[in-house]
Amino acid sequence: FIVVTRSSELSKKETVLFPKAEFVYEHIDLSNESAVDTLFNRYDIDGIYHCAGVLSADSLETISYSDIFEKHKSKTLGGLHLAKHSEQVTECWFMSSISSVWGMKNHYGYCYVNSYLDTLPYTYPNVSVMRIGPIAGAGMSAEHGELLKAVGLPLIAVDELIHAFRLNSDVVVE
């Protein structure tokens, strides 16, 4: 597996979930198209799982398109750059959020960029998008997990999500 991240801190949880797999970590910014192209030239990549996301609070009074773009460019531009390579791989999954349908107070940019990601399969038919509900300990469930469970929304465990996708490809993109 090739794990691509711009973060300098890696949980390396994937090594626990897949103890027999070999992992290569690449620190690149997915919003940089030439860096994504170089990644595909360097490795024989068979699949893409794009899970980039930043949950940041914003308000209707202060939100701007430039802020949305800067905060979420790994998800939007990264998704676009990866989608351009989708015909080269066996499978291509982009993880969106149910927030693109539901919305979410004070996270308007996050909802907007997930909606953008949802549209990429119209142009790139080899891209599949899954709108994922709340993941335990991540995004809105990190702050509101008990409330979500109380209203009947079960939280998805990360390892269950990974196993649901039967990760058998050569690249996982965070």
Side-chain angles (χ1 to χ4, degrees):
F1 290 98
I2 303 162
V3 178
V4 179
T5 179
R6 66 180 174 168
S7 170
S8 60
E9 303 218 3
L10 298 170
S11 68
K12 301 201 178 183
K13 182 176 183 177
E14 54 277 351
T15 59
V16 174
L17 294 171
F18 303 98
K20 295 180 182 179
E22 181 180 331
F23 292 89
V24 174
Y25 295 89
E26 288 281 345
H27 295 275
I28 68 166
D29 181 355
L30 291 174
S31 68
N32 180 330
E33 186 171 15
S34 66
V36 173
D37 292 343
T38 299
L39 182 73
F40 277 84
N41 289 330
R42 184 178 303 148
Y43 297 102
D44 181 23
I45 296 173
D46 186 43
I48 300 167
Y49 297 83
H50 181 44
C51 308
V54 174
L55 188 63
S56 59
D58 44 36
S59 70
L60 290 176
E61 293 80 26
T62 62
I63 196 168
S64 72
Y65 287 113
S66 60
D67 284 346
I68 292 171
F69 177 78
E70 191 57 38
K71 289 177 187 173
H72 302 282
K73 64 185 179 184
S74 289
K75 187 159 205 142
T76 54
L77 281 179
L80 177 62
H81 301 326
L82 290 168
K84 290 177 181 178
H85 291 277
S86 62
E87 292 196 15
Q88 298 172 247
V89 298
T90 304
E91 54 187 310
C92 183
W93 284 96
F94 287 6
M95 308 307 131
S96 181
S97 168
I98 197 67
S99 71
S100 67
V101 176
W102 290 346
M104 194 165 52
K105 182 181 179 184
N106 295 328
H107 297 287
Y108 308 104
Y110 179 77
C111 298
Y112 170 79
V113 299
N114 279 290
S115 293
Y116 168 82
L117 203 67
D118 293 350
T119 67
L120 287 175
Y122 294 109
T123 304
Y124 300 95
N126 289 344
V127 173
S128 298
V129 174
M130 176 172 273
R131 288 178 199 94
I132 300 170
I135 299 172
M140 64 181 167
S141 73
E143 185 178 341
H144 304 293
E146 292 305 313
L147 175 63
L148 293 170
K149 288 190 281 187
V151 297
L153 293 172
L155 303 182
I156 303 165
V158 173
D159 55 344
E160 290 175 14
L161 179 63
I162 291 171
H163 288 296
F165 280 97
R166 303 179 337 256
L167 289 181
N168 59 1
S169 68
D170 294 330
V171 66
V172 176
V173 180
E174 289 186 349

